[in-house]
């Protein structure tokens, strides 16, 4: 009998909880139920999105708080930037915990979702290996625990394609047994943009749907499910072929738009046609108008973003070509990201961790 195992049943990659382009939508405002703020700290762009009930219905997201840290620290493999990212994550996670009513000595459960044997899906399990676990010390040797530490447990439940058990049910059983006051869930995400692969850390108090990023949606892990605060930490590690194709077409259009705009500049005569050492950045300002887009792409150039993606999906999916793709440097990226997230969690959960030395813990 033919085996029908595939990538989706061996991984439970979640889908991004937040569309970053909500901050670029001029219709987004407080009165629409979506409040957006953005600021920069140490080369890290931090976006805060608060969604109420009305806003949730309008943009299709659960009401709650979404925080996104955007940085190239991992992709550049810059240790100093990674330390800054870990400290910023620690601060933002602590703020989100306070907003959820989590107190200093509340007991925490850290859940590392994913499959340790699939590199882009191994983020959660790797983080649980580096977080500071203390619950057993509080129970067995309370006299050894200093000020500034809280009881924390950690678990890696695996994925349903490997265990045969619904991940949410497994987490629910553990919660019923150990009675934590809150849950932190770490998972890899399937991205909706090439730019965000290993470049954003997304925090939310709305929970997470394991498997939703690979069409294998499992039971929700959230406050509604367990009755206690659930904070999710997600990092986009893969992107599908539909998104890659759509983004590439968009980059081609922007490239032509920039060429049309700059074709008469004198500096262009001195610039080589292809410079492998030049880092190019294409922005929305480079996008050509509708007439120019049609001249380059014909009818395809007139399609809206969601229409373009839907058409590409309709073509690729029946052919079996909507592949999940991850960068070739994924091994080192995942290890570095796991270290950054674990350090940030340690700093947020335990005030005894010294600022500026998160990596030491």
């Amino acid at each position: 009998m033919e085996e029908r195992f595939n990538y989706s049943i061996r991984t439970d990659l979640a889908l991004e909880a937040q569309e970053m382009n909500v901050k670029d939508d001029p219709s987004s405002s407080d009165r629409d139920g979506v409040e957006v703020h953005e600021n920069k700290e140490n080369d890290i762009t931090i976006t805060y999105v608060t969604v109420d009930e009305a806003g949730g219905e309008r943009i299709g997201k659960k009401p709650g708080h979404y925080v996104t840290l955007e940085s190239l620290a991992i992709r550049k493999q810059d240790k100093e930037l990674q330390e800054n990212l870990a400290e910023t994550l620690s601060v933002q996670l602590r703020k989100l915990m306070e907003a959820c009513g989590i107190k200093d000595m509340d007991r925490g459960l850290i859940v590392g979702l994913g499959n340790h044997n699939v590199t882009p899906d191994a983020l959660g399990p790797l983080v649980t290996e580096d977080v500071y676990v203390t619950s057993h010390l509080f129970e067995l040797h309370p006299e050894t625990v200093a000020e500034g530490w809280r009881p924390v447990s950690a678990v890696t439940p695996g994925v349903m394609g490997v265990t045969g058990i619904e991940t949410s049910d497994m987490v629910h059983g553990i919660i019923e047994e150990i009675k934590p006051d809150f849950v932190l869930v770490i998972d890899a995400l399937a991205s909706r943009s090439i730019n965000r692969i290993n470049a954003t850390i997304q925090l939310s108090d709305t929970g997470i749907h394991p498997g939703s990023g690979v069409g294998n949606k499992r039971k929700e892990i959230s406050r509604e499910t367990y009755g206690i605060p659930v904070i999710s930490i997600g990092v986009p590690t893969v992107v599908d072929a539909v998104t890659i194709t759509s983004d590439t077409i968009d980059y081609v259009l922007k490239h032509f738009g920039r060429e049309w705009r700059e074709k008469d500049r004198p500096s262009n005569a001195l610039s080589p046609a292809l410079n492998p050492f030049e880092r190019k950045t294409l922005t929305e300002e480079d996008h050509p108008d509708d007439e120019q887009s049609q001249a380059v792409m014909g009818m395809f150039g007139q399609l809206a973003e969601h229409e373009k993606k839907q058409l590409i999906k309709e073509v690729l999916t029946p052919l079996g070509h909507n592949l999940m793709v991850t960068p070739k440097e994924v091994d080192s990226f995942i290890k570095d990201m796991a270290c950054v997230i674990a350090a940030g969690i340690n700093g947020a959960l335990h005030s005894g961790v010294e600022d500026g030395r998160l990596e030491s813990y």
Side-chain angles (χ1 to χ4, degrees):
M1 184 174 66
E2 180 187 0
E3 289 191 1
R4 297 191 179 275
F5 294 117
N6 55 47
Y7 186 82
S8 66
I9 67 169
R10 291 295 182 179
T11 64
D12 276 346
L13 287 156
L15 190 64
E16 284 185 292
Q18 173 194 348
E19 274 279 25
M20 287 294 291
N21 63 12
V22 73
K23 70 185 181 184
D24 302 318
D25 182 359
S27 66
S28 295
S29 65
D30 295 358
R31 66 177 179 274
D32 291 323
V34 180
E35 185 180 348
V36 183
H37 300 288
E38 179 180 303
N39 69 322
K40 263 199 157 184
E41 297 178 11
N42 299 323
D43 295 321
I44 302 168
T45 301
I46 308 174
T47 305
Y48 305 92
V49 179
T50 303
V51 181
D52 64 15
E53 292 288 346
E57 291 183 11
R58 184 171 66 82
I59 66 174
K61 302 296 175 190
K62 289 184 64 176
H65 300 87
Y66 301 84
V67 182
T68 300
L69 312 182
E70 190 172 351
S71 170
L72 293 177
I74 301 299
R75 280 158 55 166
K76 287 182 176 180
Q77 298 185 302
D78 187 314
K79 289 300 180 184
E80 183 175 348
L81 287 178
Q82 290 176 18
E83 290 175 6
N84 290 338
L85 181 58
E87 291 178 8
T88 303
L89 171 61
S90 178
V91 171
Q92 297 305 321
L93 179 55
R94 198 178 300 127
K95 289 180 179 179
L96 193 56
M97 290 170 60
E98 290 173 358
C100 291
I102 299 172
K103 302 180 179 61
D104 287 345
M105 285 307 294
D106 281 355
R107 179 175 185 148
L109 171 64
I110 300 173
V111 180
L113 299 179
N115 186 343
H116 208 305
N117 298 312
V118 180
T119 304
D121 195 27
L123 180 67
L126 288 176
V127 170
T128 59
E129 292 178 1
D130 288 339
V131 293
Y132 211 91
V133 175
T134 57
S135 289
H136 59 297
L137 297 177
F138 279 85
E139 293 178 9
L140 302 177
H141 302 286
E143 72 281 357
T144 66
V145 182
E147 288 284 332
W149 300 88
R150 77 165 78 224
V152 172
S153 306
V155 64
T156 304
V159 298
M160 191 177 185
V162 174
T163 65
I165 305 172
E166 183 73 59
T167 304
S168 179
D169 292 343
M170 195 180 300
V171 175
H172 187 267
I174 295 170
I175 289 174
E176 286 295 305
E177 185 66 28
I178 70 172
K179 301 291 190 298
D181 298 301
F182 67 95
V183 177
L184 281 183
V185 182
I186 303 98
D187 199 7
L189 308 176
S191 181
R192 293 189 178 105
S193 170
I194 296 175
N195 288 334
R196 296 202 287 276
I197 298 293
N198 298 304
T200 66
I201 299 176
Q202 301 178 10
L203 312 179
S204 173
D205 61 2
T206 62
I208 199 165
H209 269 107
S212 55
V214 288
N216 188 34
K217 196 171 183 179
R218 313 308 324 155
K219 285 184 182 179
E220 182 179 79
I221 297 176
S222 67
R223 185 169 196 153
E224 290 76 15
T225 308
Y226 306 131
I228 57 176
V230 175
I231 296 176
S232 64
I233 303 176
V235 177
T237 62
V238 303
V239 65
D240 64 4
V242 168
T243 300
I244 294 174
T245 306
S246 177
D247 285 0
T248 301
I249 292 170
D250 193 51
Y251 288 138
V252 169
L253 286 172
K254 289 177 180 177
H255 171 76
F256 277 112
R258 174 176 285 190
E259 291 298 311
W260 274 318
R261 196 177 72 246
E262 299 181 351
K263 61 181 174 25
D264 296 325
R265 288 188 180 181
S267 59
N268 274 7
L270 302 175
S271 178
L274 179 62
N275 182 357
F277 301 104
E278 181 184 9
R279 179 84 178 182
K280 182 185 288 186
T281 302
L282 296 171
T283 66
E284 287 302 317
E285 294 178 358
D286 296 318
H287 207 289
D289 57 34
D290 292 341
E291 184 179 343
Q292 292 173 324
S293 296
Q294 187 176 6
V296 176
M297 295 291 181
M299 182 184 72
F300 198 85
Q302 293 182 303
L303 297 178
E305 185 68 23
H306 69 280
E307 295 173 327
K308 185 170 56 178
K309 284 191 174 183
Q310 184 60 35
L311 177 58
I312 297 169
K313 186 175 182 178
E314 289 175 4
V315 172
L316 291 182
T317 303
L319 297 173
H321 294 336
N322 191 18
L323 308 177
M324 283 289 173
V325 183
T326 194
K328 62 181 181 297
E329 307 92 346
V330 63
D331 297 86
S332 58
F333 285 170
I334 291 296
K335 288 179 182 177
D336 287 349
M337 185 63 82
C339 183
V340 166
I341 293 177
I345 290 174
N346 287 337
L349 296 187
H350 308 288
S351 60
V353 175
E354 299 175 31
D355 292 337
R357 293 188 57 201
L358 297 187
E359 296 284 345
S360 303
Y361 292 83

